[in-house]
Amino acid sequence: MTRLAAADDIAVDDLRIVERTPAWTAPLHTPGHQLVFVRRGTFGLRLRSSGTLRSAEATVDPVSAFVGRPGDEQSIAHLPGREDACTVVSLGPQLAAELLPGRLPDTLRTSGRVDMAHRALLARARQGADGFELAERVVHLATGLLRDPVRATAPGDTPSHRRLAEAAREVLVTDPAFDGLDRLARLLGVSRSHLSRVFRAETGETLTRFRNRLRVRAALDRLADGDRDLAGIAADLGFADHAHFTRAMRAEVGDPPSRIRRLLGGEHESSSLAPGSRGRSRHDHANLERPNGE
């Protein structure tokens, strides 16, 4: 865990995890109110809410986030030897009371715009943004995550279907450029029609849609790490060409790769601060969201 920024009742941490075994970790108590965004990897998550007997188990990946409250117990199970990365946003009690509803799903699925707001917060924390800006970004991020979540169907009651969907997710998270539905089905030992039908029933979206969302997340990760080669990123992640990459990025986060590259590199006037603000013009976005009237 690396602390990137802290101000008043907000903290932003970069969490990197490498485990030697796939075993579940011993339960750990959440120290306070947290929003946790998965940036890279996939892992099992067990949550037990404080003060109740309710517990849940889920698989999370780069289109996932979850909320921790003081005293919650968390256990995780990672694939051995692979680094998983998360962003942990800690909230003080007063801000948590303002932002977090009393009841929440165990895990949430993030839209592209919410994930972009998360990446922008992370970038600005690394770049030394002041507490005022960080607080505003956290408020917008939490609002977008909790009040307009990506809707998903509830997992079915068939364990074999749930395992199949999780296995497909794991393959695509590990390699977002994975090509060929037939190849994926053969790898998992089922037919294409069965895999497609089960995945959609278990997750609420198609394999194609899920893979596109993962590819955009992987591109955001590389841009955030300083990769400036847009053509190389597009090719590595399986996009047909730069135009295909641009269309996918626009559809998922609302901006083209060139603008995202500037944002994550330090030019923070993007429309991505406020998820869900689709109705404003680009001029309105810039005026509203350029910190300190810059």
Side-chain angles (χ1 to χ4, degrees):
M1 185 88 83
T2 302
R3 176 61 49 88
L4 301 178
D8 299 326
D9 54 355
I10 291 170
V12 181
D13 293 294
D14 178 18
L15 175 62
R16 308 289 179 105
I17 309 162
V18 178
E19 291 287 351
R20 295 181 179 178
T21 75
W24 288 95
T25 62
L28 294 175
H29 286 91
T30 305
H33 295 91
Q34 296 178 338
L35 303 176
V36 183
F37 296 85
V38 182
R39 300 199 312 273
R40 186 165 61 251
T42 180
F43 54 91
L45 172 70
R46 286 176 177 166
L47 289 173
R48 181 170 180 173
S49 300
S50 59
T52 73
L53 297 178
R54 187 178 63 84
S55 61
E57 183 174 317
T59 299
V60 294
D61 53 39
V63 300
S64 305
F66 56 96
V67 178
R69 298 180 187 272
D72 284 358
E73 287 186 355
Q74 297 181 9
S75 297
I76 52 179
H78 296 260
L79 292 177
R82 187 184 69 188
E83 182 184 77
D84 296 330
C86 302
T87 303
V88 181
V89 181
S90 299
L91 310 175
Q94 181 177 346
L95 185 59
E98 294 175 13
L99 295 178
L100 302 183
R103 299 182 65 181
L104 284 168
D106 299 306
T107 60
L108 302 113
R109 294 169 60 209
T110 56
S111 69
R113 291 174 184 267
V114 165
D115 190 59
M116 190 59 240
H118 147 233
R119 306 276 180 164
L121 169 66
L122 185 67
R124 293 299 295 142
R126 286 173 169 154
Q127 293 155 10
D130 64 20
F132 188 99
E133 179 188 339
L134 291 176
E136 186 178 26
R137 287 187 180 275
V138 168
V139 169
H140 280 299
L141 176 58
T143 299
L145 174 67
L146 301 175
R147 296 184 184 175
D148 187 25
V150 174
R151 301 297 176 185
T153 59
D157 295 328
T158 307
S160 61
H161 286 184
R162 188 161 55 250
R163 288 193 296 270
L164 177 60
E166 289 178 357
R169 287 170 66 183
E170 186 175 299
V171 171
L172 296 177
V173 169
T174 302
D175 180 14
F178 194 97
D179 187 30
L181 177 60
D182 184 50
R183 181 177 163 224
L184 179 60
R186 288 199 310 271
L187 180 65
L188 299 176
V190 296
S191 69
R192 284 173 289 186
S193 59
H194 181 69
L195 174 59
S196 180
R197 183 173 60 253
V198 167
F199 189 87
R200 186 164 191 167
E202 290 289 321
T203 68
E205 63 184 336
T206 65
L207 282 158
T208 297
R209 173 66 174 144
F210 180 70
R211 188 184 67 152
N212 281 340
R213 283 165 24 93
L214 287 177
R215 290 195 291 184
V216 170
R217 301 302 208 279
L220 293 175
D221 218 30
R222 288 182 53 168
L223 291 170
D225 285 343
D227 193 335
R228 315 298 288 173
D229 181 8
L230 297 181
I233 293 173
D236 291 346
L237 293 176
F239 292 103
D241 50 32
H242 183 73
H244 182 203
F245 180 31
T246 297
R247 289 195 302 273
M249 183 73 80
R250 278 187 182 277
E252 186 68 9
V253 305
D255 282 314
S258 57
R259 194 162 189 240
I260 299 302
R261 180 175 60 185
R262 291 195 301 271
L263 167 70
L264 298 181
E267 299 179 29
H268 47 281
E269 36 63 67
S270 170
S271 62
S272 306
L273 186 151
S277 49
R278 296 175 178 80
R280 300 188 185 99
S281 70
R282 296 177 70 86
H283 177 73
D284 289 337
H285 279 310
N287 286 340
L288 175 64
E289 296 166 4
R290 185 177 293 120
N292 302 321
E294 296 170 0

